[in-house]
Amino acid sequence: MLAQPEYQPQIITLEDPEKVAYFVVTQIIALVNRKANAVMTIPTGKTPERAYELLVEAVRKGEVDFDKVILRMLDEYQWLKRNDPRTFQNQLRKLLINPIHFPNIQFQTINSYPETDSPKEADRYEKLISATPSDIVILGIGQNGHIGFNEPLSPFDSRTRVVQLSDNTLAANKKDIQRHGQYTPEYAITQGIGNILEADRIVMMATGESKADIIRQALKGEINTDVPASALRTRQNVLFVLDSAAASQL
Ligand code: PGA
């Protein structure tokens, strides 16, 4: 790999997951109050759930107006049915989109459905999002260092594409995606690391002891594709918001 510039991300360590959620929501509100038509890439997973609850409260209280914001998905399983609650789209609708009555037309989604031609869908999404890079990308981190579904060995310049989920990710998500008698997704479409790095600002959220080792590797280990999140050190304006457990090995 060519020599990359290396930057030190800003790291904020807070007491607990509640404070992490609150801090990230404050960042989002500040951005939208500064730029009403901000483009935001948003993740799914356990980590951001509380932040979405707090964001819904803030919108309801009129502390921020999402009328002109564009929300876009970071990634999505492939070949789950339209009404399957396991799709990231349905999870985001339940947690955030529906409660704030967010306009459908401003929600940029990746289709999952069995009738979807995944490579074509990935190309469609790539064209849609590369026209306007995100103002902010909110991320979680997998225990294997993935960001989005960019699993280890994903190139740092990768774009939106179909990916096969690693055994590590399948095991970590087992409880959420394995349903008796139902198809277990093995593929996904994800924004590439290149798409993520193109954003104006990147905010990584991580909480809990189970993320401590990979957070250490991402921030202190070598920058290489074995740990996709280490790519975040190749650009500026990256913020890690950690609870004390996730930061415990730094
Ligand atoms: P989690 O997932 O928030 O459920 O830990 C994060 C991820 O896998 O990116």
Side-chain angles (χ1 to χ4, degrees):
M1 205 184 300
L2 287 176
Q4 307 254 21
E6 180 177 347
Y7 304 99
Q8 176 59 42
Q10 191 189 355
I11 303 169
I12 304 238
T13 305
L14 300 164
E15 209 174 310
D16 54 32
E18 180 70 15
K19 292 203 169 69
V20 168
Y22 187 83
F23 188 88
V24 170
V25 168
T26 310
Q27 298 282 304
I28 294 171
I29 293 175
L31 168 67
V32 175
N33 285 340
R34 196 169 65 238
K35 183 170 182 188
N37 60 350
V39 179
M40 292 177 40
T41 288
I42 53 172
T44 324
K46 299 261 176 318
T47 314
E49 281 182 6
R50 179 63 182 144
Y52 293 144
E53 277 178 19
L54 293 173
L55 198 52
V56 169
E57 270 176 40
V59 172
R60 284 191 178 145
K61 286 190 198 147
E63 289 167 16
V64 64
D65 184 349
F66 264 57
D67 282 4
K68 297 201 179 72
V69 169
I70 302 284
L71 293 177
R72 67 169 50 137
M73 293 175 63
L74 176 62
D75 49 8
E76 177 63 286
Y77 292 127
Q78 285 301 281
W79 308 323
L80 295 178
K81 295 203 175 108
R82 198 170 286 265
N83 61 357
D84 192 316
R86 295 174 297 172
T87 69
F88 286 172
Q89 180 173 167
N90 287 334
Q91 293 183 41
L92 289 170
R93 285 189 185 282
K94 185 168 158 213
L95 289 167
L96 181 65
I97 301 296
N98 296 345
I100 65 170
H101 307 291
F102 190 74
N104 242 329
I105 193 163
Q106 288 155 234
F107 182 31
Q108 299 182 338
T109 56
I110 303 170
N111 288 330
S112 174
Y113 323 125
E115 61 271 23
T116 300
D117 174 334
S118 299
K120 260 200 195 147
E121 176 63 2
D123 286 350
R124 178 195 68 81
Y125 198 66
E126 169 64 23
K127 287 201 183 81
L128 177 73
I129 68 172
S130 56
T132 45
S134 303
D135 290 296
I136 193 168
V137 174
I138 313 284
L139 296 173
I141 189 168
Q143 283 176 31
N144 63 357
H146 74 199
I147 47 177
F149 276 130
N150 293 286
E151 303 285 27
L153 305 185
S154 297
F156 285 2
D157 60 358
S158 51
R159 310 298 302 182
T160 310
R161 66 207 186 286
V162 182
V163 290
Q164 185 165 17
L165 303 178
S166 67
D167 290 345
N168 182 295
T169 295
L170 287 170
N173 294 2
K174 193 168 158 188
K175 204 160 65 51
D176 302 318
I177 58 174
Q178 281 197 349
R179 292 281 154 78
H180 183 69
Q182 288 184 6
Y183 169 72
T184 302
E186 288 166 30
Y187 292 87
I189 289 177
T190 187
Q191 288 194 30
I193 298 178
N195 300 95
I196 292 169
L197 296 183
E198 203 159 84
D200 211 47
R201 183 161 176 72
I202 301 170
V203 176
M204 160 65 77
M205 309 175 71
T207 57
E209 183 67 43
S210 66
K211 300 291 171 69
D213 179 56
I214 197 64
I215 283 293
R216 179 188 52 75
Q217 291 184 52
L219 285 168
K220 306 267 190 225
E222 275 183 37
I223 298 181
N224 65 39
T225 56
D226 290 345
V227 179
S230 68
L232 301 177
R233 281 155 57 205
T234 65
R235 49 142 303 152
Q236 299 182 74
N237 219 359
V238 176
L239 171 66
F240 277 61
V241 190
L242 311 173
D243 73 349
S244 48
S248 60
Q249 292 187 27
L250 293 180

